């Protein structure tokens, strides 16, 4: 998508043909900094520290991490070590495992001499495929927005609420939840986005608002607790969120607070859609509540807040009394029964096993392996 009129992706291969550039998302929205990843360790650290984040981008970065590992050492031992290091970075987004399994099953049978070239080629394909998939999600999601727009008075604004950042920064390009919004905006539809700030790391306030602003999409940042009020007053036409993992039964794991939005949407008759690329489906898991590992992150993400001071410096301040314990669950699970539809690259699906397995039969086969 665009930053100051220039097209850019969240991750790309450097002109040197081997190192990998990624936007440092920890520095946004105040500073635009590109980091150069040169080793598998640096790719793993980028994921762990959330320099890159968002399920599809985590997968693409891990794939490039494997390529960087093979550049340094393409033995079996190095291959296994890279896989183990990268898989341990973050536990919830299944795209990480998907991408690493893709890389491992391709590279394992190859001779050490062939591995590096094959790894770079597959990592580039994974990144390209993500862009194509998201455009597909955009097309199908646009139809959802158009249908809702048709129920409103002629030309009246369509209000979409989103949570966290499932935008182009969370993917390679276009985003998942934002792809339909960007398409609707490009086609001249008056679409406005309610952006949940998404405490504790504020991915909505820092990243989604930044993206939408640079692309000229009307939006308003709201504290996380505002969604229910907006829905009660008819100010939300639909919710579209992203996801880190969808189970075979259609349960949706996403950024903490998503479940509360789904409950409010159900109580107010607001359609609740989840946008996902097929690598986010985990056919090996049925029950989202008991079978998905929920990442718990550092306490200081909750007990402190970071921002730009009037003097132009970035500062972190404490907002919780010294000594008060905090909990930092990074994700929650929205049961399939609260989901109106899953917007995928192959269409809008019911959130259930029959619909998911009919649309993505090839993924069931790999889950069984
Ligand atoms: O902790 P994060 O920032 O990686 O969490 C991101 C989300 O929860 C996104 O909504 C999800 O990964 C979907 S991204 C298209």
């Amino acid at each position: 998508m665009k930053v100051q009129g220039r097209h850019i992706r969240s991750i790309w291969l450097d002109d040197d043909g081997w190192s990998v550039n990624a936007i440092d998302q920890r520095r946004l929205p105040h500073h635009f900094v590109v980091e150069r990843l040169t080793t598998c360790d640096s790719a793993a650290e980028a994921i762990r520290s959330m320099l890159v984040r968002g399920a599809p981008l985590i997968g693409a970065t891990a794939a490039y991490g494997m390529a960087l590992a093979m550049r340094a050492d393409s033995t079996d031992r190095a291959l296994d070590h890279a896989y183990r290091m990268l898989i341990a970075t973050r536990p919830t987004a299944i795209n990480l495992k998907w991408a690493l399994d893709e890389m491992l099953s391709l590279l394992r049978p190859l001779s050490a001499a062939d591995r590096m070239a094959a790894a770079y080629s597959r990592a580039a394909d994974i990144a390209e495929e993500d862009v194509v998939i998201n455009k597909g999600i955009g097309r199908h999601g646009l139809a959802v927005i158009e249908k809702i727009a048709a129920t409103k008075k002629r030309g009246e604004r369509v209000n979409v609420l989103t949570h966290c950042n499932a935008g182009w920064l969370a993917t390679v390009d276009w985003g998942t939840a934002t792809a339909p919004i960007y398409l609707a905006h490009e086609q001249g539809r008056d679409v406005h986005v309610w952006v949940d700030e998404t405490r504790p790391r504020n991915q909505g306030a820092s990243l989604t608002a930044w993206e939408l602003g640079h692309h000229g999409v009307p939006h308003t940042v709201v504290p996380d607790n505002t969604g229910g009020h907006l829905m009660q007053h008819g100010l939300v036409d639909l919710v579209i969120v992203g996801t880190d993992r969808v189970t075979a039964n259609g349960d949706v794991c996403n950024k903490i607070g998503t479940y509360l939005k789904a409950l409010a949407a159900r109580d107010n008759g607001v359609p609740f859609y989840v946008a996902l690329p097929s690598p986010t489906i985990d056919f090996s898991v049925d029950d989202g509540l008991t079978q998905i590992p929920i990442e718990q992150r550092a306490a200081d993400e909750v007990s402190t807040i970071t921002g730009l001071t009037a003097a132009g410096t970035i500062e972190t301040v404490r907002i919780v009394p010294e000594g008060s314990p905090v909990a930092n669950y990074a994700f929650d699970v929205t049961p399939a029964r609260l989901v109106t539809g899953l917007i995928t690259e192959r269409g809008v699906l019911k959130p259930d096993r029959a619909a998911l397995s009919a649309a993505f039969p090839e993924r069931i086969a790999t889950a069984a392996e």
Side-chain angles (χ1 to χ4, degrees):
M1 304 304 287
K2 287 189 208 135
V3 179
Q4 273 149 6
R6 195 165 66 96
H7 184 262
I8 192 160
R9 287 182 172 178
S10 61
I11 193 165
W12 66 98
L13 197 65
D14 192 84
D15 288 344
D16 65 15
W18 66 270
S19 65
V20 178
N21 293 318
I23 299 170
D24 187 344
Q25 302 195 18
R26 302 165 305 183
R27 309 287 304 274
L28 290 172
H30 307 300
H31 298 290
F32 183 84
V33 178
V34 173
E35 282 294 333
R36 191 164 158 258
L37 311 177
T38 55
T39 60
C40 180
D41 287 56
S42 64
E45 184 52 24
I47 298 170
R48 200 179 300 116
S49 68
M50 294 181 69
L51 182 155
V52 295
R53 29 66 53 202
L57 179 57
I58 290 171
T61 308
Y64 274 119
M66 291 288 269
L68 289 166
M70 293 302 94
R71 181 172 185 272
D73 178 354
S74 55
T75 58
D76 281 359
R77 205 169 140 267
L79 186 61
D80 291 337
H81 178 71
Y83 184 99
R84 278 199 305 274
M85 183 199 308
L86 289 160
I87 197 90
T89 50
R90 293 194 70 191
T92 303
I94 195 65
N95 306 57
L96 174 63
K97 181 170 186 309
W98 173 82
L100 289 173
D101 287 348
E102 286 282 308
M103 297 298 285
L104 195 63
S105 61
L106 169 78
L107 300 175
R108 170 79 74 210
L110 299 182
S111 71
D114 291 337
R115 281 179 178 160
M116 183 180 99
Y120 272 103
S121 164
R122 184 67 189 114
D125 285 351
I126 285 175
E128 268 328 303
E129 285 162 17
D130 181 63
V131 180
V132 172
I133 285 174
N134 295 336
K135 284 190 189 161
I137 291 171
R139 276 193 299 278
H140 294 295
L142 177 64
V144 171
I145 292 177
E146 296 290 354
K147 211 166 152 193
I148 289 172
T151 66
K152 304 194 71 158
K153 287 197 206 99
R154 214 175 148 67
E156 208 184 354
R157 171 166 271 199
V158 176
N159 287 294
V160 183
L161 183 137
T162 193
H163 192 68
C164 195
N165 173 262
W168 68 263
L169 286 167
T171 64
V172 177
D173 206 352
W174 283 90
T176 56
T178 54
I181 295 166
Y182 285 127
L183 272 187
H185 176 75
E186 280 181 8
Q187 297 195 358
R189 167 78 51 201
D190 186 7
V191 57
H192 164 262
V193 186
W194 294 109
V195 177
D196 282 351
E197 65 176 346
T198 320
R199 277 286 288 154
R201 287 188 68 98
N202 295 321
Q203 291 95 326
S206 304
L207 305 177
T208 306
W210 182 83
E211 281 193 17
L212 294 174
H214 275 278
H215 214 71
V217 179
H219 63 281
T220 309
V221 178
V222 287
D224 287 328
N225 301 326
T226 312
H229 172 80
L230 295 175
M231 291 183 210
Q232 285 175 319
H233 290 272
L235 295 170
V236 180
D237 296 303
L238 73 160
V239 178
I240 313 180
V241 296
T243 170
D244 291 82
R245 201 186 292 217
V246 169
T247 69
N249 290 342
D251 291 343
V252 170
C253 183
N254 192 45
K255 184 52 58 188
I256 193 79
T258 302
Y259 170 54
L260 291 176
K261 295 294 135 57
L263 285 175
R266 173 56 56 94
D267 194 44
N268 290 282
V270 173
F272 183 92
Y273 286 95
V274 178
L276 66 137
S278 51
T280 305
I281 307 167
D282 185 354
F283 276 108
S284 75
V285 160
D286 285 322
D287 178 33
L289 268 187
T290 58
Q291 294 179 288
I292 298 178
I294 299 293
E295 180 177 13
Q296 293 191 48
R297 296 187 55 84
D300 64 2
E301 290 185 352
V302 178
S303 59
T304 65
I305 198 154
T306 301
L308 186 69
T309 67
T313 55
I314 301 290
E315 278 184 22
T316 299
V317 294
R318 188 173 179 88
I319 55 172
V320 174
E322 284 286 355
S324 286
V326 300
N328 189 4
Y329 296 92
F331 299 95
D332 64 22
V333 173
T334 299
R337 67 189 152 77
L338 296 176
V339 177
T340 308
L342 301 172
I343 307 174
T344 74
E345 71 267 29
R346 293 190 187 161
V348 182
L349 309 177
K350 277 198 191 158
D352 63 34
R353 177 182 285 277
L356 280 165
S357 42
F360 297 103
E362 75 282 10
R363 294 296 316 286
I364 308 176
T366 47
E369 278 166 13

